[in-house]
């Protein structure tokens, strides 16, 4: 069934797209406007309090896509200095995964010392700025990066945690080219707005949708809220699947037991990968016949659905999902 894709499967999907040709039935048909620029996943961002050496050591073995050493909410005020002294060691370990630090919010009076401590670390890949409300919050951090670590390639994740942050989200997303993701924090948002949290989460739907939609509008990753009931795996799975359906690309995690469930939910399932391959294969066959839309299992398949399928396969490849034998 997928004979025309065996060549593509031997290389990465982005490479196959770049090498596509309309002159051979064994190469990929063109997909106008397809964006497969994402190069790494952040399905789970795992917070590790940087004031606890035991948890830092355990984090070295975490399978999470991104390990985020926390200087903010996970560290009590009287242990901030200790946390800063430990962060350098945390960022110099043998980890091959993405490493980052969540600093204290801009205006807290703690952020300058946080940045001075972490910007000297060569393994710092990403910084979460919590409670971002204006582009100025991002500019404060990037200006210090430019001054203290001008060669740094560090990325920025902007935390959207207040009503003002939601209102200003477009300007925040465009504040600096190093902004790589937008993140939604439900508990701070509720505290700021007076919203009452419910099990159904309907009161958060608007803000979450704004964050996910804005992130995709500007080619950024979208990171969903923490599941606070960290012992209930059913709730975690439900929230994770809901977030993925809303367009979030990952989720914040506060306990090691949450990591595997979250990363599974934010990677395409084998059934979804199988469906995507069938759509792509059908597109190839009908393209050679000069047809646009086609029928698959009684459903119309057109270009937006084809793009969805390619993005599923790209994300599956990044996640290491085994789909090479599907349809053989």
């Amino acid at each position: 069934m997928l004979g025309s894709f065996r060549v593509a499967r031997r290389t990465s999907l982005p490479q196959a797209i770049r090498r596509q040709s309309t002159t051979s039935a064994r190469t990929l048909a063109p997909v106008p406007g397809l964006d497969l620029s994402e190069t790494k996943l952040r399905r789970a961002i795992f917070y590790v309090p940087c004031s606890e050496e035991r948890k830092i050591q355990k984090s070295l073995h975490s399978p999470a896509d991104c390990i985020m050493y926390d200087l903010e909410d996970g560290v009590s005020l009287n242990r901030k200095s200790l946390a800063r002294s430990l962060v350098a060691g945390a960022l110099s370990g043998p980890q091959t995964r993405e490493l980052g630090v969540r600093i204290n919010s801009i205006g807290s009076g703690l952020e300058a010392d946080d940045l001075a401590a972490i910007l000297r670390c060569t393994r710092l890949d990403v910084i979460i700025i919590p409670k971002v409300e204006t582009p100025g919050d991002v500019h404060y951090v990037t200006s210090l990066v430019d001054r203290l670590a001008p060669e740094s390639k560090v990325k920025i994740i902007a935390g959207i945690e207040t009503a003002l942050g939601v209102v200003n989200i477009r300007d925040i997303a465009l504040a600096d080219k190093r902004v790589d993701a937008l993140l939604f924090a439900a508990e701070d948002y509720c505290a700021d707005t007076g919203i009452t949290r419910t099990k159904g989460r309907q009161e958060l739907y608007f803000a979450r949708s704004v964050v996910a939609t804005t992130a995709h509008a500007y080619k950024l990753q979208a990171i969903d809220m923490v599941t606070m009931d960290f012992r209930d795996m059913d709730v975690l799975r439900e929230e994770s699947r809901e977030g993925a359906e809303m367009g979030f690309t990952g989720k914040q995690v506060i306990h090691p037991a949450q990591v595997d469930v979250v990363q599974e939910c934010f990677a395409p399932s084998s059934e979804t990968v199988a469906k995507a391959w069938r759509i792509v294969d059908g597109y190839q066959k009908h393209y050679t016949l000069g047809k646009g839309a086609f029928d698959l299992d009684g459903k119309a398949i057109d270009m937006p659905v084809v793009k969805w399928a390619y993005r599923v396969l790209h994300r599956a490849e990044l996640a290491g999902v085994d789909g090479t034998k599907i349809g053989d």
Side-chain angles (χ1 to χ4, degrees):
M1 171 180 164
L2 296 180
S4 62
F5 280 88
R6 296 186 192 282
V7 173
R9 287 185 184 192
R10 293 193 190 110
T11 185
S12 70
L13 193 60
Q15 287 177 326
I17 293 295
R18 287 195 293 270
R19 297 172 186 171
Q20 64 190 353
S21 167
T22 59
T23 62
S24 170
R26 292 184 62 80
T27 55
L28 296 176
V31 185
L34 180 64
D35 179 16
L36 299 178
S37 58
E38 186 177 34
T39 59
K40 68 170 61 176
L41 300 180
R42 291 192 186 106
R43 292 168 296 171
I45 294 183
F46 176 35
Y47 289 118
V48 180
C50 221
S51 58
E52 300 183 46
E53 290 187 76
R54 177 182 60 85
K55 291 183 178 180
I56 291 171
Q57 289 302 312
K58 288 183 68 174
S59 74
L60 300 179
H61 307 289
S62 172
D65 287 341
C66 178
I67 310 298
M68 190 64 59
Y69 294 110
D70 191 16
L71 296 176
E72 195 213 13
D73 288 345
V75 178
S76 64
L77 189 59
N78 62 352
R79 293 176 69 86
K80 299 289 188 184
S81 295
L82 172 63
R84 293 189 196 105
S85 69
L86 294 175
V87 74
L91 293 175
S92 62
Q95 268 286 4
T96 58
R97 299 183 183 276
E98 184 178 55
L99 300 181
V101 175
R102 178 168 68 170
I103 62 171
N104 287 277
S105 59
I106 309 306
S108 66
L110 302 168
E111 68 276 18
D113 289 340
D114 292 346
L115 290 164
I118 67 176
L119 288 177
R120 297 183 177 89
C121 302
T122 57
R123 275 293 279 114
L124 178 66
D125 300 314
V126 61
I127 297 171
I128 289 181
I129 312 173
K131 302 178 181 65
V132 177
E133 295 191 318
T134 69
D137 294 337
V138 175
H139 296 155
Y140 175 86
V141 173
T142 55
S143 66
L144 280 180
V145 172
D146 291 339
R147 182 156 57 90
L148 299 178
E151 302 300 318
S152 174
K153 304 296 183 183
V154 69
K155 299 294 186 180
I156 302 294
I157 297 176
I160 306 301
E161 310 183 24
T162 65
L164 186 57
V166 171
V167 170
N168 289 331
I169 192 168
R170 177 183 179 275
D171 293 336
I172 291 168
L174 296 173
D176 191 280
K177 63 182 180 181
R178 286 164 286 194
V179 174
D180 199 46
L182 300 176
L183 171 152
F184 179 67
E187 306 309 319
D188 284 289
Y189 182 75
C190 288
D192 180 65
T193 59
I195 287 175
T196 300
R197 287 279 259 126
T198 68
K199 289 185 177 181
R201 300 175 293 279
Q202 66 271 12
E203 69 281 354
L204 299 173
Y205 186 82
F206 171 75
R208 292 169 75 198
S209 294
V210 168
V211 172
T213 300
T214 305
H216 286 289
Y218 299 107
K219 311 301 182 188
L220 309 176
Q221 292 184 337
I223 310 300
D224 201 10
M225 60 192 185
V226 170
T227 298
M228 299 302 289
D229 189 355
F230 61 85
R231 298 187 188 279
D232 192 327
M233 295 298 111
D234 291 335
V235 171
L236 176 65
R237 192 175 298 276
E238 179 184 321
E239 280 195 13
S240 298
R241 287 175 175 167
E242 178 184 80
E245 290 168 358
M246 292 179 68
F248 285 96
T249 56
K251 187 174 179 68
Q252 300 162 84
V253 168
I254 58 172
H255 192 278
Q258 295 180 312
V259 172
D260 287 341
V261 171
V262 167
Q263 298 208 149
E264 175 191 337
C265 291
F266 282 93
S269 67
S270 58
E271 292 80 6
T272 301
V273 171
K275 178 182 177 181
W277 273 120
R278 293 186 66 217
I279 291 170
V280 170
D281 185 63
Y283 172 63
Q284 300 297 309
K285 291 177 178 178
H286 287 84
Y287 177 81
T288 61
L289 299 174
K291 297 181 179 180
F294 61 95
D295 174 279
L296 183 65
D297 299 333
K299 296 182 180 180
I301 305 297
D302 57 7
M303 187 56 70
V305 181
V306 172
K307 289 180 180 179
W308 169 87
Y310 271 104
R311 292 189 67 180
V312 165
L313 295 176
H314 179 50
R315 191 164 179 83
E317 183 178 65
L318 292 176
V321 175
D322 182 11
T324 59
K325 295 183 179 179
I326 292 173
D328 287 351

